[in-house]
Amino acid sequence: LAACLQRLGADPEESVQLCSEVLAADPLSAKAFFRRGLAQRDAARAAADAASKRDALVAARRDLREAARLEPSDRQLRAQLDEVADELKALGGAGLGLGGLYDDREIQEPPPPPVVCSNCGREGHPLCGRALWVAQRAAWLGMPVSEVDRDPPSFEDDGTLRAAIRAARGEGAENAAD
């Protein structure tokens, strides 16, 4: 009946009322959402002021989106939804997220890439083995990694790390003989 009223050019509010009654009885009727959305679009086209036109187009978009959710393969429905979205954009509703079917969803940043070990190439940890040990020891000593990573010339020698630690701590040369 609502389709007939729309084709005859009757008052769109009557079609909206009829479709609302159908939706009260069957809230999953895609056809009723579709017809009510078209009727609200027609009401928006007949509206005199921009605020009521925008409200009617937003309501039409909401109903057409619900119909598209219930009938995702209906091309005619998608075309009407795109048409209503274009009319909203023309009204200046682009900043309100009124552009398409999924504009009500928050745009999420992609997750960061997984951490890959620089030594073994596996995911899940940044370092392993000697490199991890050197990095942890450098953080614990408060020294640069390059200084901690130097090997002494022999195992009998204290190496440059001992001198660098003393210099960083401000210990005098009198303790260097220890």
Side-chain angles (χ1 to χ4, degrees), residues 116-148:
V116 178
C117 180
S118 61
N119 284 344
C120 67
R122 292 189 218 146
E123 293 182 1
H125 58 278
L127 289 173
C128 65
R130 184 174 190 275
L132 175 64
W133 180 81
V134 168
Q136 288 176 340
R137 186 168 186 215
W140 179 72
L141 290 172
M143 301 295 297
V145 172
S146 61
E147 188 66 39
V148 175

Side-chain angles (χ1 to χ4, degrees), residues 138-144 147-148 160-173 176:
W140 179 72
L141 290 172
M143 301 295 297
E147 188 66 39
V148 175
T160 58
L161 182 60
R162 182 94 168 149
I165 291 172
R166 284 188 176 146
R169 292 183 181 164
E171 294 178 4

Side-chain angles (χ1 to χ4, degrees), residues 34 67-68 71-83:
F34 177 69
E71 292 288 333
S73 61
D74 190 342
R75 290 184 181 170
Q76 181 185 9
L77 197 151
R78 297 287 178 167
Q80 294 296 329
L81 179 60
D82 289 342
E83 189 177 311

